[in-house]
Amino acid sequence: MSYPDLLVEPLHEDHLEPLVQALLNPEVYAHIGERPASHEVYKAQLRRMIAGPQRAEDADQLWLNFALRRPGGVVMGHLQATVHHGLAEVAFLLRPDCWGQGLGSAALHWLHGHLASLRPTQGALPCWATTIPPNLRCQALLERHGYRLRELPRTVPLYSWDPGDLVYHRPDTA
């Protein structure tokens, strides 16, 4: 499947300022359920994503972080997966003017393929995602990609989960 309007690149320092400009937006944060961070705090969060696991307790994790942009260079958002305990927690953020254009769907499809390529003989990783209840746009996107609403798993932690979040699961067979 080809998406000519979407380029996925490993997140790096050159993406930071465009991502801050694109995503440090009250509309985006309304779908996250938080207040926007300051410019510098958000950049520090992105730098931590680029650096990957640094703490000893995170050593068994694989952090996959990508910038999403158009071929002309316009940064549209970011895509991420944290692989741990035999699963992948996925997340995505797009700037509001990119919503409803199929780009989130293209990015999530790309990510599922990328995750499958990490385990060519074992099959796809089961994927999990969390969202706040009012984020109907995110829930619909996840459901279109085979995710189903589930209870919080008891056997493995979900690092992106906060109390009150909805939990979505996409089995490795989806």
Side-chain angles (χ1 to χ4, degrees), residues 52-64 81-89 125 155-157 159:
Q54 302 292 308
R55 302 177 311 177
E57 60 265 30
D58 298 336
D60 63 341
Q61 298 175 21
L62 175 61
W63 291 9
L64 304 170
T82 303
V83 179
H84 63 91
H85 296 92
L87 61 86
E89 286 189 63
L125 285 163
T155 57
V156 294
Y159 300 133

Side-chain angles (χ1 to χ4, degrees), residues 98-168:
C98 294
W99 296 349
Q101 299 176 26
L103 297 167
S105 187
L108 196 53
H109 180 81
W110 181 91
L111 183 60
H112 291 147
H114 183 71
L115 290 168
S117 75
L118 298 177
R119 301 171 19 135
T121 60
Q122 300 159 304
L125 285 163
C127 293
W128 293 83
T130 62
T131 183
I132 61 172
N135 194 344
L136 301 178
R137 190 181 287 273
C138 177
Q139 294 161 36
L141 176 59
L142 291 169
E143 289 172 2
R144 282 194 305 273
H145 283 271
Y147 289 78
R148 297 296 173 252
L149 189 59
R150 297 286 188 253
E151 294 293 321
L152 184 66
R154 298 185 193 286
T155 57
V156 294
L158 292 185
Y159 300 133
S160 61
W161 180 82
D162 289 318
D165 281 354
L166 298 177
V167 176
Y168 281 82

Side-chain angles (χ1 to χ4, degrees), residues 36-78:
S38 73
H39 186 98
E40 288 309 312
V41 167
Y42 191 58
K43 267 186 149 173
Q45 291 169 346
L46 292 170
R47 282 192 179 101
R48 175 150 162 62
M49 290 167 57
I50 292 170
Q54 302 292 308
R55 302 177 311 177
E57 60 265 30
D58 298 336
D60 63 341
Q61 298 175 21
L62 175 61
W63 291 9
L64 304 170
N65 294 288
F66 304 96
L68 303 171
R69 67 178 185 85
R70 292 195 189 275
V74 175
V75 173
M76 299 180 295
H78 71 77

